[in-house]
Amino acid sequence: MGCTASRGKSIDTVRGAVDIDVLVHDRTRRPHALVLCECKLWSRRVPKTVVHAFRTVVHDSGAHHGFIISDSGFQAGSYDAAANANIKLLTWEQFQAEMYNRWFAVQQWRLVQVADALQPSPRAALCTTTTERLSATRLTMAVKRKCKSKHMVDTLNPRGQQSPMAIRTLQQ
């Protein structure tokens, strides 16, 4: 996914060295992001004091994001402590789902690049996000499959929108 992760790292903060469970350097983002993860395999819920302490570590280290992953969940006050901060409180299942969503987004981006290289779409060039580019490529491919002649493919105007004639023909 473009990230490098290290377990059991000691990092320097403005208040001294701190041990972190997982340190992630995300090189897919601009500027590169530093993410700290604290894993709690406890039999009890994580209290807000742990969240306060971790929030301080994330801030003092200059990290962009922090995750506290708990097997037993969090006390009610923990969510208040993490509100309006760059920390997410997640169960292991929620963390896996979040990482899957990130992996899926990276795969979509890669597929868009391959699809655009194989068959560039006039609309895809005007799109700004990965989802828009993917939709533009799918639209162009669907239009080309539906159209019976090259003339119908050429009815896409420079902004990537279909002309009214092409839309009527596709609906028939």
Side-chain angles (χ1 to χ4, degrees), residues 24-164:
V24 179
H25 290 279
D26 184 354
R27 295 185 184 350
T28 62
R29 301 188 190 274
R30 296 290 181 251
H32 295 188
L34 179 65
V35 181
L36 306 179
C37 299
E38 197 64 27
C39 306
K40 302 297 182 191
L41 185 59
W42 294 353
S43 59
R44 58 186 171 86
R45 295 174 181 251
V46 176
K48 69 180 177 182
T49 54
V50 171
V51 177
H52 285 301
F54 186 64
R55 186 176 65 191
T56 302
V57 169
V58 170
H59 181 266
D60 290 352
S61 68
H64 296 88
H65 304 286
F67 292 106
I68 300 179
I69 304 154
S70 171
D71 192 42
S72 299
F74 301 89
Q75 292 178 359
S78 297
Y79 292 103
D80 294 335
N84 301 319
N86 55 345
I87 295 176
K88 285 191 177 182
L89 307 180
L90 303 169
T91 64
W92 176 245
E93 292 78 18
Q94 291 169 331
F95 179 74
Q96 285 180 311
E98 182 143 333
M99 291 303 109
Y100 173 79
N101 291 338
R102 178 176 159 80
W103 172 84
F104 190 76
V106 169
Q107 298 310 313
Q108 276 185 321
W109 179 75
R110 288 179 179 167
L111 287 174
V112 165
Q113 287 183 322
V114 170
D116 285 347
L118 292 173
Q119 190 168 23
S121 118
R123 183 170 181 249
L126 300 170
C127 299
T128 57
T129 66
T130 302
T131 306
E132 287 176 349
R133 286 193 304 275
L134 185 60
S135 297
T137 303
R138 286 181 181 160
L139 171 68
T140 302
M141 295 170 92
V143 168
K144 286 184 178 184
R145 272 186 255 124
K146 285 281 197 174
C147 295
K148 296 187 173 70
S149 69
K150 184 177 183 315
H151 171 72
M152 289 305 298
V153 174
D154 293 338
T155 58
L156 288 175
N157 69 27
R159 295 204 39 88
Q161 300 164 337
Q162 291 178 322
S163 68

